[in-house]
Amino acid sequence: MGGQRTLSVLLLLMMGVVTTALPATTGDITTIVDMTSTVGPSSATVCGTPPLNNKIVGGENAPAGSWPWQASLQMSDGHVCGGSLINKVWVMSAAHCFASSDPNGWNISLGRQTLEGINSNEVSRTVAEIIIHPDYNNFTKDNDIALLKLSSPVDFTNYILPVCLAASDSVFNNGTDSWVTGWGNINEGVPIPSPQDLQEVEVSVVGNRQCDCLNGAGSITDNMLCAGDLAGGKDSCQGDSGGPMVIQQNSVWVQSGVVSWGHGCARPNLPGVYTRVSSYQTWIDSHIKTDKPGFVQFISSGVDADSDYICSDGPTTTVDPYPYPYPYPYPYPYPYPYPYPYESIFDHGHSLFSSVYLLSTLFILMFLTI
């Protein structure tokens, strides 16, 4: 990785075009230069090709530079959510991380390895704009996606590079190997230990039909993607919200999901739920006018076993009918909504006393009229 080392990076472009990039070195950091460009590398030509990549619950420490698109979204100098760099000025995250679209107070850290101590490769920016998907549903977590515009562009290095995004026609079959990264809890209620190294975990895609059966019928929409280990022990958790789930296609890493919600962390037969990135290519393109992110079509091979899955085919689970979504951000934004996904005659439990009082009054009136 030193200043004397020469890299040859094969860059896969959309439309099947392949170019070769050579490094320009400065000290110990290598900056990737697109030899076909006179203004520096475009995001689409360098996305998803980390030169240092050699993989949160059930995970392990990620080597520095393995996931150079990983972002830490911070408020008051504390980590709140994860995110992913998709070009020089835009970061993608989850809508549920934000109480509003006000960017004041938010900072984004890139090139960071640990949440504690000095990170020599780190670059920080304030947030100029937050765009929350207009159809985001806080109760069902449908359309749980947001875009954040940095206050100024970042330079690409070995430790700061954009990830490619799954194109709209991508297909992820049941069992597709994936990786999730973040600084979230290493188990339910167990924070990541000092010095809080970036964690990585390998999980498999769980088809939407099976995931819907396991998480509760009607809970999984076409805009969601599930992944985990059905035996338990591997998952994202609190604090990983908004971070990336990625899949490798040839030599290119493609972001398939955004950490969104689930029941607990790494519980058996309860896979985590992610925002399906491929559903949002048009929306993302509508907001990013220049230096477009690199969209890559991912197609799983073979027949998807989930296509004929019915709930009676596998195990069922009992879940809390009023769950907090996980991973919920920490520290919690205020006010933080408590999302009850089911309708209730008691106004989601908030007006239980007044409802009982009203029913009692009606019974007394009926008795007096007899």
Side-chain angles (χ1 to χ4, degrees):
M1 177 182 63
Q4 301 301 316
R5 190 176 71 175
T6 300
L7 297 177
S8 293
V9 181
L10 295 178
L11 302 176
L12 177 67
L13 298 179
M14 296 178 69
M15 307 303 292
V17 179
V18 177
T19 64
T20 301
L22 297 178
T25 59
T26 304
D28 289 334
I29 298 179
T30 298
T31 301
I32 303 300
V33 177
D34 179 11
M35 301 303 290
T36 65
S37 173
T38 60
V39 293
S42 68
S43 297
T45 61
V46 300
C47 71
T49 56
L52 302 181
N53 184 284
N54 295 323
K55 265 36 74 214
I56 306 195
V57 174
E60 58 188 24
N61 292 350
S66 296
W67 313 106
W69 42 80
Q70 179 74 46
S72 171
L73 279 55
Q74 302 183 352
M75 177 73 76
S76 301
D77 296 323
H79 173 80
V80 177
C81 279
S84 54
L85 184 70
I86 60 175
N87 77 358
K88 296 173 185 176
V89 294
W90 288 95
V91 167
M92 184 168 66
S93 188
H96 80 259
C97 291
F98 308 98
S100 74
S101 58
D102 183 2
N104 290 329
W106 284 99
N107 291 279
I108 296 182
S109 175
L110 297 161
R112 191 166 191 151
Q113 178 64 18
T114 63
L115 292 182
E116 298 176 4
I118 298 173
N119 288 262
S120 59
N121 303 303
E122 179 185 9
V123 171
S124 295
R125 294 287 188 271
T126 56
V127 178
E129 183 180 8
I130 298 176
I131 302 175
I132 298 172
H133 195 283
D135 296 326
Y136 167 60
N137 188 313
N138 189 51
F139 295 108
T140 65
K141 293 296 175 280
D142 198 22
N143 302 301
D144 189 10
I145 191 169
L147 294 173
L148 292 80
K149 188 175 184 180
L150 305 180
S151 55
S152 62
V154 294
D155 294 326
F156 294 154
T157 72
N158 277 358
Y159 303 92
I160 300 175
L161 282 174
V163 66
C164 294
L165 303 180
S168 57
D169 49 0
S170 295
V171 177
F172 307 99
N173 284 355
N174 190 42
T176 301
D177 191 51
S178 311
W179 288 88
V180 184
T181 52
W183 287 281
N185 287 357
I186 58 172
N187 213 326
E188 289 186 48
V190 181
I192 184 173
S194 179
Q196 298 183 293
D197 277 287
L198 179 66
Q199 300 290 291
E200 59 185 22
V201 66
E202 187 176 17
V203 292
S204 297
V205 169
V206 177
N208 276 30
R209 287 174 178 264
Q210 184 178 9
C211 187
D212 192 58
C213 292
L214 294 172
N215 276 292
S219 62
I220 306 302
T221 74
D222 291 340
N223 297 319
M224 299 175 185
L225 181 67
C226 301
D229 185 340
L230 295 184
K234 292 184 177 182
D235 201 357
S236 49
C237 203
Q238 289 89 347
D240 293 322
S241 284
M245 177 169 72
V246 295
I247 299 174
Q248 189 174 29
Q249 181 166 262
N250 299 320
S251 61
V252 176
W253 289 93
V254 181
Q255 184 172 353
S256 57
V258 177
V259 179
S260 182
W261 67 276
H263 298 284
C265 301
R267 297 180 184 179
N269 297 315
L270 283 173
V273 186
Y274 300 77
T275 305
R276 186 180 291 260
V277 172
S278 58
S279 296
Y280 299 95
Q281 180 174 355
T282 301
W283 181 73
I284 293 170
D285 269 338
S286 70
H287 289 288
I288 301 179
K289 305 300 184 182
T290 59
D291 189 28
K292 295 284 189 178
F295 284 94
V296 174
Q297 181 188 36
F298 184 94
I299 299 295
S300 297
S301 59
V303 177
D304 187 7
D306 188 67
S307 58
D308 298 320
Y309 189 92
I310 57 176
C311 289
S312 59
D313 287 344
T316 58
T317 53
T318 301
V319 297
D320 182 355
Y322 302 107
Y324 279 108
Y326 96 87
Y328 37 85
Y330 181 82
Y332 313 115
Y334 180 82
Y336 190 79
Y338 181 79
Y340 289 89
Y342 298 91
E343 294 298 324
S344 167
I345 62 170
F346 296 124
D347 189 25
H348 307 308
H350 294 300
S351 304
L352 177 60
F353 177 79
S354 60
S355 299
V356 172
Y357 178 82
L358 178 60
L359 291 174
S360 300
T361 302
L362 290 174
F363 278 120
I364 293 173
L365 290 175
M366 291 175 61
F367 178 81
L368 292 176
T369 57
I370 295 176

Short mmCIF file of all heavy atoms in Angstrom, two decimals, residues 86 90-95 129-136 143-148 165 168 258 275-289 292-293 295:
data_model
loop_
_atom_site.label_atom_id
_atom_site.label_comp_id
_atom_site.label_asym_id
_atom_site.label_seq_id
_atom_site.Cartn_x
_atom_site.Cartn_y
_atom_site.Cartn_z
N ILE A 86 -22.06 7.19 -2.56
CA ILE A 86 -22.44 6.73 -3.89
C ILE A 86 -21.87 7.61 -5.00
O ILE A 86 -21.94 7.23 -6.17
CB ILE A 86 -23.98 6.60 -4.02
CG1 ILE A 86 -24.67 7.94 -3.79
CG2 ILE A 86 -24.50 5.54 -3.05
CD1 ILE A 86 -26.19 7.88 -4.02
N TRP A 90 -22.68 12.65 -2.56
CA TRP A 90 -23.93 12.09 -2.06
C TRP A 90 -23.69 10.81 -1.27
O TRP A 90 -22.89 9.95 -1.68
CB TRP A 90 -24.90 11.80 -3.21
CG TRP A 90 -25.50 13.02 -3.83
CD1 TRP A 90 -25.06 13.69 -4.93
CD2 TRP A 90 -26.66 13.73 -3.38
NE1 TRP A 90 -25.86 14.77 -5.20
CE2 TRP A 90 -26.86 14.82 -4.26
CE3 TRP A 90 -27.56 13.55 -2.32
CZ2 TRP A 90 -27.92 15.73 -4.12
CZ3 TRP A 90 -28.61 14.45 -2.18
CH2 TRP A 90 -28.78 15.52 -3.07
N VAL A 91 -24.41 10.69 -0.16
CA VAL A 91 -24.40 9.50 0.68
C VAL A 91 -25.83 9.00 0.78
O VAL A 91 -26.78 9.78 0.87
CB VAL A 91 -23.84 9.83 2.08
CG1 VAL A 91 -24.13 8.70 3.07
CG2 VAL A 91 -22.34 10.09 2.01
N MET A 92 -26.00 7.69 0.76
CA MET A 92 -27.32 7.07 0.87
C MET A 92 -27.47 6.43 2.24
O MET A 92 -26.52 5.82 2.76
CB MET A 92 -27.50 6.03 -0.24
CG MET A 92 -28.87 5.39 -0.29
SD MET A 92 -29.10 4.43 -1.83
CE MET A 92 -27.87 3.13 -1.58
N SER A 93 -28.66 6.56 2.83
CA SER A 93 -28.90 5.98 4.15
C SER A 93 -30.37 5.61 4.26
O SER A 93 -31.08 5.52 3.25
CB SER A 93 -28.49 6.99 5.25
OG SER A 93 -28.54 6.39 6.53
N ALA A 94 -30.84 5.38 5.48
CA ALA A 94 -32.24 4.99 5.72
C ALA A 94 -33.04 6.20 6.19
O ALA A 94 -32.56 7.03 6.98
CB ALA A 94 -32.31 3.89 6.78
N ALA A 95 -34.28 6.29 5.72
CA ALA A 95 -35.15 7.41 6.10
C ALA A 95 -35.44 7.42 7.59
O ALA A 95 -35.59 8.49 8.19
CB ALA A 95 -36.45 7.34 5.29
N GLU A 129 -27.89 18.96 2.62
CA GLU A 129 -29.29 18.67 2.27
C GLU A 129 -29.61 17.23 2.61
O GLU A 129 -28.78 16.33 2.44
CB GLU A 129 -29.50 18.92 0.78
CG GLU A 129 -30.92 18.71 0.29
CD GLU A 129 -31.08 18.96 -1.21
OE1 GLU A 129 -30.04 19.15 -1.89
OE2 GLU A 129 -32.22 18.95 -1.69
N ILE A 130 -30.81 16.99 3.13
CA ILE A 130 -31.32 15.65 3.38
C ILE A 130 -32.60 15.47 2.58
O ILE A 130 -33.54 16.27 2.70
CB ILE A 130 -31.60 15.41 4.87
CG1 ILE A 130 -30.32 15.53 5.70
CG2 ILE A 130 -32.24 14.03 5.08
CD1 ILE A 130 -30.54 15.40 7.20
N ILE A 131 -32.64 14.44 1.75
CA ILE A 131 -33.83 14.14 0.96
C ILE A 131 -34.38 12.80 1.43
O ILE A 131 -33.78 11.74 1.21
CB ILE A 131 -33.51 14.08 -0.55
CG1 ILE A 131 -32.91 15.41 -1.03
CG2 ILE A 131 -34.77 13.75 -1.34
CD1 ILE A 131 -32.46 15.38 -2.48
N ILE A 132 -35.52 12.83 2.09
CA ILE A 132 -36.20 11.63 2.55
C ILE A 132 -37.21 11.22 1.50
O ILE A 132 -37.92 12.07 0.95
CB ILE A 132 -36.89 11.88 3.90
CG1 ILE A 132 -35.84 12.23 4.97
CG2 ILE A 132 -37.71 10.68 4.34
CD1 ILE A 132 -36.43 12.68 6.29
N HIS A 133 -37.28 9.93 1.20
CA HIS A 133 -38.21 9.50 0.16
C HIS A 133 -39.63 9.96 0.50
O HIS A 133 -40.09 9.78 1.64
CB HIS A 133 -38.19 7.98 0.01
CG HIS A 133 -38.83 7.49 -1.26
ND1 HIS A 133 -40.19 7.43 -1.42
CD2 HIS A 133 -38.29 7.09 -2.44
CE1 HIS A 133 -40.47 6.99 -2.64
NE2 HIS A 133 -39.32 6.77 -3.28
N PRO A 134 -40.32 10.58 -0.45
CA PRO A 134 -41.64 11.16 -0.14
C PRO A 134 -42.68 10.12 0.27
O PRO A 134 -43.66 10.48 0.93
CB PRO A 134 -42.04 11.85 -1.45
CG PRO A 134 -41.23 11.17 -2.51
CD PRO A 134 -39.94 10.80 -1.85
N ASP A 135 -42.49 8.86 -0.11
CA ASP A 135 -43.47 7.83 0.23
C ASP A 135 -43.00 6.95 1.40
O ASP A 135 -43.55 5.86 1.61
CB ASP A 135 -43.74 6.95 -1.00
CG ASP A 135 -44.39 7.73 -2.13
OD1 ASP A 135 -45.19 8.64 -1.83
OD2 ASP A 135 -44.08 7.45 -3.30
N TYR A 136 -42.02 7.43 2.14
CA TYR A 136 -41.57 6.65 3.30
C TYR A 136 -42.70 6.51 4.31
O TYR A 136 -43.37 7.48 4.67
CB TYR A 136 -40.37 7.33 3.96
CG TYR A 136 -40.04 6.78 5.32
CD1 TYR A 136 -39.70 5.43 5.48
CD2 TYR A 136 -40.09 7.58 6.46
CE1 TYR A 136 -39.40 4.92 6.73
CE2 TYR A 136 -39.79 7.07 7.71
CZ TYR A 136 -39.45 5.74 7.84
OH TYR A 136 -39.16 5.23 9.08
N ASN A 143 -40.23 2.05 1.69
CA ASN A 143 -39.48 3.18 1.11
C ASN A 143 -38.54 3.83 2.14
O ASN A 143 -38.42 5.06 2.21
CB ASN A 143 -40.44 4.24 0.53
CG ASN A 143 -41.35 3.66 -0.53
OD1 ASN A 143 -40.89 3.14 -1.54
ND2 ASN A 143 -42.66 3.73 -0.29
N ASP A 144 -37.87 3.00 2.91
CA ASP A 144 -36.98 3.47 3.97
C ASP A 144 -35.61 3.83 3.37
O ASP A 144 -34.63 3.08 3.51
CB ASP A 144 -36.84 2.38 5.04
CG ASP A 144 -36.11 2.87 6.28
OD1 ASP A 144 -35.88 4.09 6.40
OD2 ASP A 144 -35.77 2.02 7.14
N ILE A 145 -35.55 4.98 2.73
CA ILE A 145 -34.32 5.39 2.03
C ILE A 145 -34.23 6.91 2.04
O ILE A 145 -35.24 7.61 2.01
CB ILE A 145 -34.30 4.84 0.58
CG1 ILE A 145 -32.93 5.04 -0.06
CG2 ILE A 145 -35.42 5.43 -0.25
CD1 ILE A 145 -32.76 4.29 -1.37
N ALA A 146 -33.00 7.41 2.13
CA ALA A 146 -32.76 8.86 2.14
C ALA A 146 -31.43 9.14 1.45
O ALA A 146 -30.53 8.30 1.42
CB ALA A 146 -32.75 9.39 3.57
N LEU A 147 -31.30 10.35 0.91
CA LEU A 147 -30.07 10.81 0.29
C LEU A 147 -29.57 12.03 1.06
O LEU A 147 -30.35 12.91 1.43
CB LEU A 147 -30.29 11.19 -1.18
CG LEU A 147 -30.66 10.06 -2.12
CD1 LEU A 147 -31.02 10.62 -3.50
CD2 LEU A 147 -29.53 9.05 -2.25
N LEU A 148 -28.26 12.09 1.28
CA LEU A 148 -27.64 13.21 1.98
C LEU A 148 -26.58 13.83 1.09
O LEU A 148 -25.68 13.14 0.60
CB LEU A 148 -27.00 12.75 3.29
CG LEU A 148 -27.94 12.28 4.40
CD1 LEU A 148 -28.41 10.85 4.16
CD2 LEU A 148 -27.26 12.37 5.76
N LEU A 165 -24.37 0.65 -7.32
CA LEU A 165 -25.74 0.41 -6.87
C LEU A 165 -26.44 -0.59 -7.78
O LEU A 165 -26.22 -0.59 -9.00
CB LEU A 165 -26.53 1.72 -6.83
CG LEU A 165 -25.95 2.84 -5.97
CD1 LEU A 165 -26.85 4.08 -6.04
CD2 LEU A 165 -25.77 2.38 -4.54
N SER A 168 -32.21 -1.30 -11.63
CA SER A 168 -33.62 -1.60 -11.43
C SER A 168 -34.02 -3.01 -11.87
O SER A 168 -35.02 -3.55 -11.39
CB SER A 168 -34.49 -0.57 -12.16
OG SER A 168 -34.17 -0.54 -13.54
N VAL A 258 -30.21 -1.50 2.03
CA VAL A 258 -29.93 -0.53 3.09
C VAL A 258 -30.51 -1.09 4.38
O VAL A 258 -31.69 -1.46 4.42
CB VAL A 258 -30.56 0.85 2.77
CG1 VAL A 258 -30.33 1.82 3.92
CG2 VAL A 258 -30.02 1.41 1.47
N THR A 275 -33.88 -2.18 2.77
CA THR A 275 -34.49 -1.47 1.66
C THR A 275 -33.86 -1.98 0.36
O THR A 275 -32.64 -2.05 0.25
CB THR A 275 -34.26 0.04 1.77
OG1 THR A 275 -34.73 0.48 3.05
CG2 THR A 275 -34.99 0.80 0.68
N ARG A 276 -34.67 -2.35 -0.61
CA ARG A 276 -34.19 -2.91 -1.87
C ARG A 276 -33.73 -1.77 -2.79
O ARG A 276 -34.54 -1.05 -3.37
CB ARG A 276 -35.28 -3.74 -2.54
CG ARG A 276 -34.85 -4.50 -3.79
CD ARG A 276 -35.99 -5.28 -4.39
NE ARG A 276 -36.41 -6.41 -3.55
CZ ARG A 276 -36.05 -7.67 -3.76
NH1 ARG A 276 -35.26 -7.97 -4.78
NH2 ARG A 276 -36.48 -8.63 -2.95
N VAL A 277 -32.42 -1.61 -2.92
CA VAL A 277 -31.85 -0.47 -3.64
C VAL A 277 -32.30 -0.43 -5.09
O VAL A 277 -32.54 0.65 -5.66
CB VAL A 277 -30.31 -0.52 -3.56
CG1 VAL A 277 -29.68 0.54 -4.46
CG2 VAL A 277 -29.86 -0.32 -2.11
N SER A 278 -32.46 -1.59 -5.71
CA SER A 278 -32.81 -1.62 -7.13
C SER A 278 -34.18 -1.02 -7.43
O SER A 278 -34.47 -0.68 -8.58
CB SER A 278 -32.76 -3.07 -7.65
OG SER A 278 -33.64 -3.90 -6.92
N SER A 279 -35.00 -0.86 -6.40
CA SER A 279 -36.33 -0.24 -6.60
C SER A 279 -36.26 1.27 -6.75
O SER A 279 -37.27 1.91 -7.07
CB SER A 279 -37.25 -0.57 -5.41
OG SER A 279 -37.50 -1.96 -5.33
N TYR A 280 -35.06 1.85 -6.54
CA TYR A 280 -34.97 3.31 -6.43
C TYR A 280 -34.01 3.95 -7.43
O TYR A 280 -33.62 5.10 -7.23
CB TYR A 280 -34.58 3.68 -4.99
CG TYR A 280 -35.60 3.19 -4.00
CD1 TYR A 280 -35.43 1.97 -3.35
CD2 TYR A 280 -36.78 3.90 -3.77
CE1 TYR A 280 -36.38 1.48 -2.47
CE2 TYR A 280 -37.74 3.42 -2.90
CZ TYR A 280 -37.54 2.21 -2.25
OH TYR A 280 -38.50 1.74 -1.39
N GLN A 281 -33.68 3.25 -8.51
CA GLN A 281 -32.77 3.83 -9.48
C GLN A 281 -33.33 5.12 -10.07
O GLN A 281 -32.64 6.14 -10.16
CB GLN A 281 -32.46 2.84 -10.60
CG GLN A 281 -31.50 3.42 -11.65
CD GLN A 281 -31.07 2.40 -12.69
OE1 GLN A 281 -31.41 1.21 -12.60
NE2 GLN A 281 -30.32 2.85 -13.68
N THR A 282 -34.60 5.12 -10.45
CA THR A 282 -35.21 6.31 -11.04
C THR A 282 -35.25 7.45 -10.05
O THR A 282 -34.95 8.61 -10.39
CB THR A 282 -36.63 5.99 -11.53
OG1 THR A 282 -36.57 4.95 -12.51
CG2 THR A 282 -37.29 7.22 -12.14
N TRP A 283 -35.61 7.15 -8.80
CA TRP A 283 -35.68 8.19 -7.77
C TRP A 283 -34.30 8.79 -7.50
O TRP A 283 -34.16 10.02 -7.39
CB TRP A 283 -36.27 7.61 -6.49
CG TRP A 283 -36.40 8.60 -5.38
CD1 TRP A 283 -37.30 9.63 -5.27
CD2 TRP A 283 -35.57 8.68 -4.20
NE1 TRP A 283 -37.10 10.33 -4.11
CE2 TRP A 283 -36.05 9.77 -3.42
CE3 TRP A 283 -34.51 7.92 -3.72
CZ2 TRP A 283 -35.47 10.12 -2.21
CZ3 TRP A 283 -33.93 8.27 -2.51
CH2 TRP A 283 -34.41 9.35 -1.76
N ILE A 284 -33.30 7.95 -7.38
CA ILE A 284 -31.94 8.44 -7.14
C ILE A 284 -31.46 9.29 -8.30
O ILE A 284 -30.91 10.38 -8.11
CB ILE A 284 -30.99 7.25 -6.89
CG1 ILE A 284 -31.35 6.56 -5.57
CG2 ILE A 284 -29.54 7.73 -6.86
CD1 ILE A 284 -30.64 5.24 -5.36
N ASP A 285 -31.67 8.81 -9.52
CA ASP A 285 -31.26 9.56 -10.71
C ASP A 285 -31.95 10.92 -10.80
O ASP A 285 -31.38 11.88 -11.32
CB ASP A 285 -31.54 8.75 -11.98
CG ASP A 285 -30.36 7.89 -12.39
OD1 ASP A 285 -29.23 8.20 -11.99
OD2 ASP A 285 -30.58 6.90 -13.11
N SER A 286 -33.18 11.00 -10.31
CA SER A 286 -33.91 12.25 -10.41
C SER A 286 -33.33 13.34 -9.52
O SER A 286 -33.55 14.53 -9.75
CB SER A 286 -35.39 12.03 -10.05
OG SER A 286 -35.55 11.77 -8.65
N HIS A 287 -32.57 12.94 -8.49
CA HIS A 287 -32.01 13.92 -7.56
C HIS A 287 -30.53 14.18 -7.78
O HIS A 287 -30.01 15.21 -7.33
CB HIS A 287 -32.24 13.46 -6.12
CG HIS A 287 -33.67 13.53 -5.67
ND1 HIS A 287 -34.32 14.72 -5.42
CD2 HIS A 287 -34.59 12.54 -5.48
CE1 HIS A 287 -35.57 14.47 -5.06
NE2 HIS A 287 -35.75 13.15 -5.09
N ILE A 288 -29.84 13.27 -8.44
CA ILE A 288 -28.40 13.44 -8.68
C ILE A 288 -28.21 13.72 -10.17
O ILE A 288 -28.30 12.82 -11.00
CB ILE A 288 -27.61 12.19 -8.25
CG1 ILE A 288 -27.86 11.93 -6.75
CG2 ILE A 288 -26.13 12.36 -8.53
CD1 ILE A 288 -27.15 10.69 -6.22
N LYS A 289 -27.94 14.97 -10.48
CA LYS A 289 -27.90 15.41 -11.87
C LYS A 289 -26.53 15.23 -12.52
O LYS A 289 -26.42 15.05 -13.73
CB LYS A 289 -28.33 16.88 -11.97
CG LYS A 289 -29.68 17.18 -11.35
CD LYS A 289 -30.81 16.39 -12.02
CE LYS A 289 -32.16 16.78 -11.44
NZ LYS A 289 -33.27 15.98 -12.04
N LYS A 292 -23.16 10.89 -12.00
CA LYS A 292 -24.16 9.87 -11.67
C LYS A 292 -23.52 8.66 -10.98
O LYS A 292 -22.42 8.24 -11.33
CB LYS A 292 -24.86 9.40 -12.95
CG LYS A 292 -25.69 10.46 -13.66
CD LYS A 292 -27.00 10.70 -12.94
CE LYS A 292 -27.93 11.58 -13.75
NZ LYS A 292 -29.23 11.79 -13.07
N PRO A 293 -24.21 8.09 -10.01
CA PRO A 293 -23.71 6.85 -9.40
C PRO A 293 -23.65 5.74 -10.44
O PRO A 293 -24.37 5.77 -11.44
CB PRO A 293 -24.76 6.55 -8.32
CG PRO A 293 -25.46 7.84 -8.07
CD PRO A 293 -25.44 8.57 -9.37
N PHE A 295 -24.71 2.36 -11.65
CA PHE A 295 -25.73 1.33 -11.47
C PHE A 295 -25.31 0.08 -12.25
O PHE A 295 -24.96 0.16 -13.42
CB PHE A 295 -27.10 1.81 -11.95
CG PHE A 295 -27.76 2.76 -11.00
CD1 PHE A 295 -27.61 4.14 -11.15
CD2 PHE A 295 -28.54 2.29 -9.95
CE1 PHE A 295 -28.21 5.02 -10.27
CE2 PHE A 295 -29.15 3.17 -9.07
CZ PHE A 295 -28.98 4.53 -9.22
#
